[in-house]
Amino acid sequence: MKHTSTRELFGYWDMQRGTRAAPERDDIDPAAIRHVLADTFVLADDFTGDSRFRLAGTKVCALFARELKDVRFLDLWDAQSVASMQDLLAIVSDENLGVVAGVTAVSSAGNEIEMELLLLPLARRGHARVRAVGVLVPLTQPYWVGAGPLRDLRLGTLRHMGERMPALPSLTAAQPGGRQRRGFVVYDGGRSRVQDNDAA
């Protein structure tokens, strides 16, 4: 994660989920992430299964020169990236895995800018349709950012993050015939048995 907003949101999300795969929507307190709210957005599924912006920070909206509430998330992406983004949204929602990705956007004047995208799952409860919280932020701030809307987001490299590993079995659990001592399992045998046999 390259951007401070990305790192801060992920750290807070990770803390709020505790031992769960993902926190619930109610676990995310906007006041606790107030320094990154402008770069943050929330996605919710509509009744057709599309992911739409439920909320979007002021800086995210400014990148596209419009209010993003209720806009389809996939409408921001170029034709080559739409299928990949659909797959990523399904992974985030269904498998409770986060994603951080590089993104290239094009301005209305044809300038390109490198961005970072973070998508983190939110646990479902009941009929709630909120699915993910994320960050979309430029990695640099050229003078022309905000002068016109960005378009045709193109997905670059990505990696999954936040997976909870299954608990490992205890290496110190005593098996039949063994006894626990200072964190180790001790089994009788070996040298002590040889000495017993010599004495016999």
Side-chain angles (χ1 to χ4, degrees):
M1 290 177 283
K2 299 177 180 179
H3 198 277
T4 54
S5 292
T6 309
R7 294 194 295 269
E8 184 169 337
L9 181 62
F10 177 80
Y12 177 71
W13 175 89
D14 193 42
M15 179 180 67
Q16 292 302 99
R17 69 174 173 159
T19 58
R20 299 169 295 174
E24 296 181 6
R25 168 64 184 90
D26 292 344
D27 295 323
I28 306 300
D29 179 7
I33 54 172
R34 60 187 178 278
H35 299 300
V36 299
L37 273 182
D39 296 319
T40 303
F41 61 87
V42 174
L43 296 180
D45 284 354
D46 64 15
F47 293 106
T48 66
D50 277 334
S51 290
R52 294 180 181 269
F53 287 95
R54 177 74 170 267
L55 298 168
T58 55
K59 289 184 179 179
V60 181
C61 292
L63 293 172
F64 301 93
R66 59 176 166 153
E67 172 60 55
L68 291 175
K69 185 175 181 181
D70 294 328
V71 172
R72 287 179 72 241
F73 184 66
L74 293 178
D75 286 349
L76 303 181
W77 299 83
D78 69 3
Q80 288 73 34
S81 299
V82 169
S84 297
M85 283 308 309
Q86 283 178 317
D87 291 341
L88 283 183
L89 288 170
I91 289 170
V92 170
S93 178
D94 299 338
E95 300 182 27
N96 283 321
L97 284 177
V99 175
V100 63
V103 173
T104 303
V106 181
S107 75
S108 55
N111 298 308
E112 289 193 349
I113 186 170
E114 297 301 316
M115 308 176 74
E116 188 167 63
L117 169 69
L118 176 69
L119 282 173
L120 299 170
L122 295 172
R124 304 181 187 189
R125 179 165 46 155
H127 298 292
R129 294 183 292 124
V130 173
R131 295 291 180 257
V133 61
V135 162
L136 182 62
V137 61
L139 294 177
T140 59
Q141 288 290 335
Y143 71 91
W144 48 263
V145 170
L150 296 181
R151 57 182 173 80
D152 295 334
L153 301 188
R154 185 170 69 248
L155 187 64
T157 58
L158 62 94
R159 68 184 177 97
H160 300 292
M161 55 199 311
E163 183 175 11
R164 284 285 181 218
M165 300 301 292
L168 294 174
S170 173
L171 299 178
T172 60
Q175 302 297 317
R179 64 184 186 280
Q180 193 125 8
R181 183 171 180 177
R182 295 183 183 174
F184 294 95
V185 177
V186 179
Y187 295 94
D188 292 327
R191 188 170 182 82
S192 62
R193 287 190 177 177
V194 171
Q195 291 173 343
D196 291 342
N197 291 336
D198 290 344

